[in-house]
Amino acid sequence: MEKKFEPEFPGQHQDEKIELVFRQHPIVLRKELIIGLLIILAGTGPLLLFPLSDLAMKILIASPIITLAYWFYHWIGWHYSINILTDSRLISIKQRGFFNRKVSEVGLDRVQSINYHIKGLQAALFKFGDITVQTFSGEWLMKSISHPVETHTKMIEVARKVSKEFVPTSTVPDK
């Protein structure tokens, strides 16, 4: 009995194999973390100024709840934004909030070059950087990717396999 094809992601072709799934480094959420902590800190201010006020107590209780909702909103966007490298194409899914998703893809046979850039001490320490994919139609920048060296190496390896499959054979007759 033939096994039924179950796609691992929406839009996966039946003969397509996933080679790598990667995303941005969690450090991209640092700004949201700092803003959330500042909201909590600001929520304690009214209680320090007016210790007996009911409004100050409500603000103190509301600030962590607001912060958790803010963090969750941004975490959803980070968690569901992924890049998928298959044996034939590169797919980028960018999620912003709950109801905003952008999907882009490029065939690996259209890729001209793949480069990475690790800029600064923080990027070197936490192992994140930018990967640029140059195609016939333009440049595709993936910012703050975790482990860019390993990701770049795997992308090059898969792109080379694809390019070997598409290399035309010589049509010059032997003499």
Side-chain angles (χ1 to χ4, degrees):
M1 183 171 210
E2 191 174 315
K3 186 178 173 183
K4 185 180 176 194
F5 172 69
E6 301 258 348
E8 296 178 64
F9 64 91
Q12 181 179 7
H13 301 150
Q14 194 161 3
D15 59 342
E16 195 171 38
K17 179 183 165 216
I18 295 175
E19 298 286 342
L20 182 66
V21 176
F22 58 100
R23 67 169 32 102
Q24 286 185 307
H25 195 281
I27 204 159
V28 300
L29 296 171
R30 67 188 177 270
K31 183 179 93 178
E32 287 77 15
L33 180 66
I34 292 168
I35 290 171
L37 293 174
L38 289 173
I39 291 170
I40 292 172
L41 184 63
T44 62
L47 192 64
L48 294 173
L49 296 173
F50 308 103
L52 300 176
S53 169
D54 285 342
L55 180 61
M57 186 58 77
K58 289 177 184 175
I59 291 172
L60 179 69
I61 293 169
S63 64
I65 294 168
I66 292 168
T67 299
L68 287 175
Y70 176 75
W71 283 341
F72 182 69
Y73 177 83
H74 286 285
W75 179 83
I76 288 289
W78 172 81
H79 182 74
Y80 288 104
S81 293
I82 60 171
N83 299 290
I84 304 168
L85 177 67
T86 70
D87 55 0
S88 62
R89 60 190 173 141
L90 177 62
I91 304 150
S92 176
I93 302 170
K94 292 184 181 173
Q95 183 78 31
R96 296 288 171 246
F98 299 111
F99 306 109
N100 184 356
R101 176 177 289 174
K102 179 181 177 184
V103 179
S104 306
E105 72 173 75
V106 65
L108 291 179
D109 58 331
R110 303 282 185 236
V111 172
Q112 292 177 306
S113 68
I114 304 169
N115 304 304
Y116 70 90
H117 182 205
I118 299 171
K119 183 180 179 183
L121 179 64
Q122 189 178 41
L125 288 175
F126 292 109
K127 295 186 173 152
F128 68 92
D130 300 340
I131 296 179
T132 306
V133 178
Q134 185 70 41
T135 67
F136 290 120
S137 60
E139 198 171 80
W140 196 354
L141 178 64
M142 295 177 278
K143 296 180 81 54
S144 303
I145 300 297
S146 290
H147 306 288
V149 177
E150 294 86 354
T151 303
H152 172 264
T153 302
K154 182 66 176 180
M155 289 173 79
I156 291 289
E157 177 185 308
V158 173
R160 283 189 178 146
K161 283 183 198 174
V162 169
S163 67
K164 285 180 185 175
E165 292 173 6
F166 291 104
V167 173
T169 56
S170 176
T171 56
V172 178
D174 293 330
K175 292 183 181 180

